[in-house]
Amino acid sequence: MDKKTLLGMMLIVLIFMLFNQLVWKKPKPASAQPATAQTADTLKTEADTLKTVLAPPELVEPDMKTAPVNENIILENDSLKLVLSSLGGVIRSVYLKHHELDDGSKVQLIPEGGNAANTILLTDSSSQDLKNVPFEHELTTLDGRPAVRFSFTPEPDRTIEKTYGLDRNYGVKFRLKVHYVYGLTGYTLDFGSGIRDTEKSVKGKVQDYRFIGSIQNTLVRESLGKLMKKSVSQQGNVDWAASQSKYFVIACREGEPLLLNSAQATVANASPAFTLTAKGGSSTTDLEHNLSLYFGPADHKLLKTYGGGMEKIAERGANWLRWLVNIFAWFLNLLYKLIGNYGIAIIIFSLTVKIVLHPLTHKSMDSSLRMQRIQPQVQAIQQQYKSDPKQMQMELSKLYKEAGASPLGGCLPLLLQMPVFFALYTVLRFSLDMRQAPFFGWIRDLSEPDPYYILPILMGVFMIVQSLMMSPKKQQLQQMDEKQQAMQSSQKMMTWIMPVVLFFVFRSMPAGLVLYWTVFNILSIIQQYYLQKHLHNKETA
């Protein structure tokens, strides 16, 4: 591995060491959040002995009887199972039927003891939290699909309704309807419980988890790490907002009429949480608002079907690189459909990239090897024209041209590898298809780091082999001056230091990415061996 290549590798290492520091930061324990729901036993006791008011005094008279609490109202389709509670008319649990945890149980997105879609009514002088209001409920339909309607009627001409209806995938249609509640200026919809952990490893949580929203036609992204330092408030029309974990999303999209005009992102249960507010300038007695909720995977294609640019929730890397991410994701999925193993698909992908880059890599290696062979001539020219730098450069350029060598020949393939590397990192780390994708043996999840560091060690070993193959032979070293020998000594030291540094960087990378880099290095060694043999035969002929 020549000096230019080593410098390029050091650049990659520095970039990823910085990222590695962010990835390996462990989230600080979040401050305890107040409970958002009471236990079932407590609720039953209160329902049986209820003499006092469970709702704010503005909504219900103290002596009015209330409905019994039901915490297990089920609403489901082929993809989702919602567990709702009549206390507050909230969503207690969301199960994703097509996605499992490591233990085989279904993924559940709402943290234990939390809820989603709690509603707070706003007046000129106060707010009225509905979390303890005991709604009545009935099974119904919304737009022809199964739905549950919660209703609370403190007086015959006063009603609050919350209706949830499922679509055919991961969407939930939500309708809030308020009739004749005095001095109403708006409401707040609360997703303040955050999003539940679903993966065994959460080492990258502070970067992988985030709040993301489209507010005033501007994309707002705040990582969990930033939210742990300071909550974020955004004013303006809210198209949609979401709490995102590594692979899953809880989102709310604005419906008609356009009312949401502020969002606040905070931390709850060591995850991003948010609340949305719709508040007008004048009071009213009636309100009806339709929104779309999403509880499901952070899948680019699936989110795109919900419109409004919600596909931007899915992590696809930097804007300038997304086209390459999409191509790699498509190609790996195609290989997986043909083979049935993502590890083998990555190996074939490595071979494909090697073939595509072969002309440039061949030319680069050829140039580097020729540079080694003309070092005596280079040294002679430098000695002869050391007092005339301009003439020295002209003679060196002439020599390089005649020998077919270039001092920068080793850089181009490495520079081309960098966007490939970054794009593949995004695909392997965040693509839902790679979640829990096994290879063989000890590698049970290619999206997570190798648990025993075997692949990073192998990668380091093959890097050393490749560097030693590129090192000049003893006879060539003897022909160099002291300065050049000192440079070669430093480069030899880097041959051993660089793999160690890269081991510590790559040990936190997805196993699939390390597999790709290791296979690519093995193919480079094979290519280098045959090229050196070819040049040797050509010189001795």
Side-chain angles (χ1 to χ4, degrees):
M1 195 176 291
D2 60 22
K3 182 179 177 183
K4 299 295 183 180
T5 305
L6 283 171
L7 290 174
M9 286 296 297
M10 289 182 68
L11 177 61
I12 294 178
V13 170
L14 289 173
I15 294 172
F16 271 86
M17 283 183 69
L18 178 61
F19 182 78
N20 190 48
Q21 289 297 319
L22 295 174
V23 168
W24 276 89
K25 283 185 179 178
K26 295 183 178 179
K28 298 177 182 178
S31 58
Q33 301 294 319
T36 56
Q38 302 176 35
T39 64
D41 291 340
T42 303
L43 293 172
K44 288 179 181 178
T45 302
E46 290 184 354
D48 292 337
T49 61
L50 191 56
K51 299 289 185 181
T52 58
V53 180
L54 286 178
E58 293 86 346
L59 295 178
V60 64
E61 296 298 328
D63 60 349
M64 179 172 282
K65 293 182 179 180
T66 56
V69 171
N70 187 337
E71 288 239 289
N72 293 288
I73 303 166
I74 306 299
L75 186 63
E76 59 184 325
N77 61 14
D78 292 339
S79 301
L80 282 179
K81 177 182 176 181
L82 269 60
V83 181
L84 303 107
S85 172
S86 63
L87 189 70
V90 297
I91 303 172
R92 289 180 53 243
S93 305
V94 178
Y95 294 92
L96 308 186
K97 295 183 178 182
H98 301 312
H99 301 279
E100 297 180 348
L101 302 176
D102 288 337
D103 61 7
S105 61
K106 300 301 180 183
V107 166
Q108 203 280 101
L109 295 186
I110 298 179
E112 186 173 356
N115 61 65
N118 180 47
T119 308
I120 304 168
L121 300 184
L122 305 176
T123 65
D124 287 322
S125 58
S126 64
S127 61
Q128 300 173 350
D129 197 331
L130 304 184
K131 67 180 180 180
N132 288 327
V133 170
F135 286 82
E136 294 182 345
H137 74 278
E138 62 176 334
L139 298 179
T140 182
T141 59
L142 184 61
D143 296 335
R145 300 289 300 166
V148 174
R149 178 165 57 238
F150 294 99
S151 61
F152 179 70
T153 308
E155 296 177 7
D157 59 345
R158 298 172 63 195
T159 305
I160 302 171
E161 291 184 1
K162 297 175 69 173
T163 305
Y164 300 90
L166 297 178
D167 67 11
R168 297 183 183 277
N169 288 311
Y170 296 95
V172 179
K173 296 180 180 180
F174 175 73
R175 176 180 295 167
L176 175 66
K177 189 174 182 180
V178 180
H179 173 64
Y180 207 64
V181 172
Y182 313 127
L184 186 66
T185 58
Y187 73 96
T188 293
L189 196 61
D190 188 0
F191 296 87
S193 297
I195 187 167
R196 192 169 189 162
D197 294 334
T198 59
E199 309 309 307
K200 187 174 181 180
S201 173
V202 291
K203 291 179 180 178
K205 186 172 181 178
V206 292
Q207 285 299 116
D208 294 342
Y209 285 45
R210 67 187 66 189
F211 165 80
I212 181 169
S214 177
I215 303 172
Q216 207 65 30
N217 296 320
T218 301
L219 195 65
V220 177
R221 291 177 182 265
E222 298 292 344
S223 68
L224 175 60
K226 290 183 180 179
L227 291 176
M228 292 172 72
K229 298 176 183 177
K230 185 180 180 181
S231 61
V232 174
S233 294
Q234 292 283 336
Q235 303 297 319
N237 294 330
V238 181
D239 299 318
W240 50 263
S243 293
Q244 178 190 4
S245 64
K246 184 177 179 181
Y247 293 114
F248 299 101
V249 177
I250 294 176
C252 176
R253 185 186 171 194
E254 172 75 298
E256 294 292 342
L258 303 179
L259 299 178
L260 296 176
N261 50 28
S262 70
Q264 183 175 27
T266 56
V267 174
N269 297 300
S271 69
F274 66 95
T275 57
L276 304 175
T277 299
K279 190 168 185 179
S282 59
S283 62
T284 183
T285 56
D286 293 272
L287 179 146
E288 182 173 345
H289 197 192
N290 295 285
L291 301 107
S292 296
L293 312 183
Y294 179 88
F295 301 92
D299 182 86
H300 180 265
K301 291 182 179 179
L302 186 58
L303 285 164
K304 192 172 184 178
T305 64
Y306 286 88
M310 284 183 62
E311 68 274 9
K312 296 176 182 177
I313 295 174
E315 179 59 57
R316 307 295 282 184
N319 290 335
W320 64 274
L321 204 57
R322 287 185 179 179
W323 65 274
L324 192 57
V325 172
N326 293 334
I327 291 174
F328 287 176
W330 170 82
F331 186 55
L332 282 171
N333 287 337
L334 177 63
L335 292 174
Y336 176 76
K337 289 177 181 178
L338 296 173
I339 300 166
N341 186 295
Y342 268 112
I344 298 176
I346 290 171
I347 293 174
I348 296 175
F349 178 86
S350 304
L351 178 61
T352 304
V353 173
K354 192 65 185 175
I355 292 172
V356 171
L357 295 179
H358 172 74
L360 289 173
T361 307
H362 182 89
K363 187 175 181 180
S364 169
M365 288 184 176
D366 181 69
S367 178
S368 297
L369 291 170
R370 291 178 187 276
M371 281 293 297
Q372 289 184 9
R373 284 167 170 72
I374 63 172
Q375 282 304 307
Q377 295 98 305
V378 171
Q379 183 180 352
I381 291 174
Q382 290 173 339
Q383 287 291 332
Q384 182 177 355
Y385 299 101
K386 60 182 178 181
S387 59
D388 189 352
K390 186 175 180 180
Q391 186 63 32
M392 179 195 299
Q393 189 60 45
M394 291 176 61
E395 293 296 327
L396 287 174
S397 297
K398 183 179 178 181
L399 175 63
Y400 294 151
K401 186 175 180 180
E402 291 175 351
S406 171
L408 301 177
C411 293
L412 183 58
L414 187 63
L415 291 176
L416 289 175
Q417 270 286 85
M418 288 181 68
V420 173
F421 186 86
F422 292 134
L424 191 60
Y425 174 85
T426 300
V427 173
L428 296 179
R429 182 160 179 78
F430 297 106
S431 173
L432 190 70
D433 294 323
M434 299 303 302
R435 180 178 182 264
Q436 299 177 350
F439 181 25
F440 75 92
W442 75 99
I443 301 178
R444 306 306 305 163
D445 190 344
L446 286 164
S447 69
E448 294 293 338
D450 183 337
Y452 303 112
Y453 306 140
I454 296 174
L455 281 177
I457 291 172
L458 286 175
M459 182 201 69
V461 170
F462 285 115
M463 284 187 64
I464 292 172
V465 172
Q466 186 180 10
S467 297
L468 291 176
M469 288 179 67
M470 289 295 292
S471 299
K473 293 180 172 51
K474 186 176 180 180
Q475 183 179 358
Q476 293 174 318
L477 284 172
Q478 292 174 348
Q479 296 175 344
M480 297 180 183
D481 58 23
E482 292 182 1
K483 184 178 179 180
Q484 291 172 323
Q485 289 178 354
M487 290 177 61
Q488 289 298 323
S489 178
S490 299
Q491 188 166 319
K492 186 176 181 180
M493 187 180 299
M494 289 299 296
T495 298
W496 300 98
I497 293 176
M498 182 65 72
V500 175
V501 172
L502 288 179
F503 165 79
F504 285 101
V505 173
F506 275 78
R507 69 174 185 174
S508 63
M509 298 292 175
L513 188 68
V514 185
L515 176 63
Y516 161 78
W517 196 258
T518 303
V519 172
F520 194 88
N521 281 342
I522 293 173
L523 295 173
S524 297
I525 289 171
I526 296 171
Q527 183 184 27
Q528 190 170 312
Y529 170 78
Y530 281 103
L531 181 60
Q532 286 179 322
K533 187 176 180 180
H534 171 74
L535 287 177
H536 176 74
N537 292 338
K538 190 175 180 180
E539 289 178 355
T540 55

